[in-house]
Structures are given as structure tokens and as C-alpha cells.
Amino acid sequence: MVMPSANDVLSLDADQLVHVLQGFGEPAFRARQLFEWLWRHDASSYQDVTVWSRPLRERMSQAWPIRRAVAVQTQVGVDGTTKLLLGLSDGQRVETVLLPHPYGYSVCVSSQVGCAMGCTFCASGLNGRIRQLSAGELLEQVRYAEMILKPSGQHVRRVDVMGIGEPLDNYANLLKFMRMAHHEAAFHLSYRHFTVSTSGLVPAITQLANEGLPVTLAVSLHAPNDEVRRRLMPVNQAYPLAKLIPACDDFARRTGRRVTFEYLLLKDVNDSQQLAHELAGLLAGRLCHVNLIPWNPVAEHDWTPSPMSTVRTFQRIVQDQGISCTIRKELGQEIDAACGQLRLREEESLSL
Ligand code: SF4
């Protein structure tokens, strides 16, 4: 059993908690109690775990302190979108967004502090990858969303691992997070209600398909050929479309889940009618869905968003080939909504 480093109790799964508590001579059911107190009852210290004796609480406080994230900033949009900037125990910051939908709420969580992938349209990767988020730090983002919803009696329905970072570059923690969030003593979320995004790390897509979990895979495609994609995404050098598309087909075949291809539209870069036809040709007959994303301008990059009329024409061409294709509704546009913007703004204001 690989235990988390630095006595990170929030990253212990239910089996690991049994192991820790047995080390203190405690029965296994104490582990279940603690798991519930951490993720269902928001215990911020062992003093909250009132079903335990004081000596046990004190021993655990010494050995496995609870280090919660703290909300540094909260922005609420007119449509109910809530954007959180969470402070982690080492002072790093991470963004989480709670989004209202007709079916309920989803939470978009970050998987890393910064990102190493260097996509040329994105604010998150500007300073590179600073560090991985632990499983506990991923869970903390869902717990904050749950805390916001608690007064209304609602719960998080979907988790999209689509915030800052490349989730498949933090594979072990991602998997552990999903398994812990799925646990009935934590958030009891169905695997079908997770979406994992990737810029296209082919070996990890295959590894995820091997897990046999019915999660949705969302692949940032953004171009129907290598020439255009290479300009936007350095990852295309290592994993060109000839490798990426078969890996997506394999994922869809083995999980029975259609793959979502994300396509950000940038004026005069990847939004022509010719490229729409090329995209339709690439994806025809595949178990997939295309999600067109109007680009949110980022001051640090000088691309221009495609006009809405161009986005609609692009959609119609793809749909006319029988491919499911939607345009992503932009929520919370007035609140630094592009991924990475809240954290960047805060860093800038700190450095003034
Ligand atoms: S788009 Fe995603 S993978 Fe690409 S740099 Fe931004 S956070 Fe990283």
C-alpha cells in the first residue's frame, strides 16, 4: 500500500485509514467514521469528531493533522456561477468553478497548480506546471462546492476535471480522487458523472480505458489536422492525430462511452468552413460528440474569438454530416471565466 507523503490525511482512502487507525490499536470501523467526518461532516479538526475519545483525537492531531484548503476569493456571477480561489496548505492557489445547469450543479475542478502542456490559447500554462494536486486537494474542491450548496439542500451532480492542469499528467492522484469521491461514505458520485479532459496524452488515455471506469473522456482537439493543431498545442508533436484518434476510438469501444471532442474556435486560425468539413470527415462514423467553444479572450494571448455567426456555420457543417455537435454555453463570463484567469489576476495583484 503506497501511503501519501507528508501525513496528508485528506488523501487517505478508506482502506488506508483502516491501516492508520489499526496502527493506533483502533478497530476498522473508526476509519469509516473518520472518512465520513472528513467528507460528509466537514470536520476541520479532530475536535469535531465528537464520537471519538479525547486521547484518540489528540494522537491523530499529532500524527495526521487535517490541513484544509481555505477560500481566498469567491466570485458569484449573475447566472449563479461561483468561482472559487482556494489556498492550499503550502500557499499555492487553485481555481474551482461551481456551475448551475437545468439538471443541477456541476463542479469544474483543477488537477495541477499551473500546467506543463503550453497550449497557446490558455492562461493556465503561462508559468508552467508548479506541482501536482493530491487526491485530497482534488476532493477539497468538491467539498467546497458541496458546502456552498448545502443550505439549499442540493448536491454536486457532475464533476468535470477540466480546470487548470492536464489531469492525465497527474494520473495516480486523479484515479484515487475519483475512487474516493465515488465512495458511499464520501460524495457517492457515479463514475458516469465524471468527465476527464485531456490535451491528448495517448498512453494515459489507453491506461484510463484499461481501468474499466465508465467516465467520459473529453479530448481537446481544436483542429482536424496536424498542421493547424501543432500551432495550438505542443502535445501534438508527441501524439499526432494518427495516434490520438485510434486511442479515442479504443476508449469509446472499451467503455461504451462516446468521446467528447472539444473544439475552441479562433478567428482565421481554425474556424474556416473548409476545416469544418475536414473535421466532419475525420469524425464521421465515430462514437463521439463535438463541443464547440467560443474562445474567452486572455490578455496574455493575441488570438481573436470567432464571431458567433462563424461558430454557428461551423456547427451546421459538422451536424450536416450526422455528427452530434453543440456550442458550449458560456457561464459566468463577467467573472474572469477563462481557465487560469482568477489565479493569474491574484498573482498579478500580489506582485504589484
Ligand atoms: S488548455 Fe489545459 S492542457 Fe492546455 S495549457 Fe491550458 S490547462 Fe494545460
Side-chain angles (χ1 to χ4, degrees):
M1 186 181 299
V2 180
M3 298 295 272
S5 58
N7 294 3
D8 175 12
V9 71
L10 298 179
S11 293
L12 293 177
D13 64 25
D15 290 341
Q16 290 173 323
L17 283 176
V18 170
H19 184 76
V20 165
L21 281 151
Q22 283 178 339
F24 287 107
E26 295 293 331
F29 74 85
R30 295 264 181 249
R32 165 91 185 200
Q33 286 178 331
L34 181 55
F35 205 61
E36 282 185 1
W37 276 90
L38 290 175
W39 300 117
R40 292 234 159 159
H41 307 310
D42 303 312
S44 56
S45 92
Y46 289 97
Q47 300 318 312
D48 295 337
V49 188
T50 47
V51 292
W52 280 9
S53 68
R54 181 174 297 179
L56 177 58
R57 285 187 255 161
E58 277 166 11
R59 266 184 293 161
M60 282 296 286
S61 301
Q62 295 293 322
W64 293 89
I66 300 170
R67 297 190 184 96
R68 290 291 193 197
V70 292
V72 176
Q73 247 193 69
T74 306
Q75 296 183 351
V76 183
V78 286
D79 57 15
T81 299
T82 304
K83 194 152 188 172
L84 289 163
L85 187 67
L86 298 179
L88 307 177
S89 57
D90 63 352
Q92 293 294 345
R93 306 278 197 249
V94 73
E95 279 181 38
T96 306
V97 187
L98 179 63
L99 299 136
H101 304 279
Y103 62 79
Y105 282 86
S106 69
V107 62
C108 179
V109 302
S110 297
S111 56
Q112 299 176 316
V113 181
C115 182
M117 305 313 294
C119 302
T120 58
F121 46 79
C122 173
S124 306
L126 286 170
N127 298 324
R129 184 185 71 203
I130 295 161
R131 73 166 172 85
Q132 305 286 16
L133 293 186
S134 67
E137 288 166 338
L138 279 150
L139 282 157
E140 277 289 82
Q141 298 177 64
V142 180
R143 189 183 70 85
Y144 258 93
E146 282 280 322
M147 282 203 303
I148 290 169
L149 295 176
K150 204 171 253 180
S152 65
Q154 303 207 62
H155 292 281
V156 168
R157 290 285 309 278
R158 296 194 55 90
V159 176
D160 299 323
V161 192
M162 300 181 108
I164 298 172
E166 162 57 66
L168 296 186
D169 183 37
N170 187 12
Y171 191 87
N173 290 333
L174 169 75
L175 252 281
K176 191 174 191 188
F177 155 66
M178 292 197 291
R179 292 203 157 109
M180 288 171 74
H182 171 71
H183 196 285
E184 60 185 15
F187 304 118
H188 206 190
L189 282 156
S190 159
Y191 288 120
R192 289 180 181 274
H193 292 175
F194 283 88
T195 299
V196 174
S197 76
T198 181
S199 57
L201 295 179
V202 168
I205 291 173
T206 304
Q207 201 178 346
L208 189 61
N210 289 340
E211 307 286 349
L213 302 178
V215 301
T216 298
L217 182 71
V219 176
S220 299
L221 192 62
H222 307 324
N225 62 53
D226 288 326
E227 191 189 332
V228 178
R229 196 164 188 266
R230 213 178 294 130
R231 278 182 73 194
L232 302 174
M233 306 180 72
V235 68
N236 200 73
Q237 289 290 115
Y239 304 114
L241 294 180
K243 290 183 178 171
L244 177 59
I245 299 297
C248 295
D249 287 345
D250 183 52
F251 186 91
R253 188 178 50 76
R254 287 204 276 160
T255 61
R257 310 281 292 166
R258 70 180 187 177
V259 172
T260 296
F261 289 106
E262 308 282 356
Y263 198 109
L264 197 71
L265 283 145
L266 302 166
K267 188 171 185 295
D268 300 332
V269 177
N270 65 351
D271 66 347
S272 70
Q273 295 189 24
Q274 186 199 327
L275 289 176
H277 284 289
E278 205 175 324
L279 180 68
L282 178 73
L283 300 182
R286 299 199 136 89
L287 182 59
C288 71
H289 171 79
V290 175
N291 194 21
L292 301 178
I293 309 169
W295 187 59
N296 246 329
V298 175
E300 294 78 5
H301 294 306
D302 31 299
W303 304 113
T304 308
S306 300
M308 212 49 213
S309 57
T310 305
V311 177
R312 288 206 189 90
T313 303
F314 200 98
Q315 179 191 31
R316 187 178 40 74
I317 293 169
V318 175
Q319 282 176 332
D320 283 351
Q321 297 306 310
I323 297 166
S324 161
C325 179
T326 49
I327 300 170
R328 183 189 286 179
K329 187 179 163 209
E330 288 299 285
L331 294 169
Q333 265 181 317
E334 74 285 9
I335 53 169
D336 287 338
C339 108
Q341 286 189 1
L342 195 64
R343 180 172 157 267
L344 274 183
R345 296 289 164 267
E346 218 244 358
E347 276 178 3
E348 281 164 9
S349 61
L350 286 177
S351 60
L352 286 177

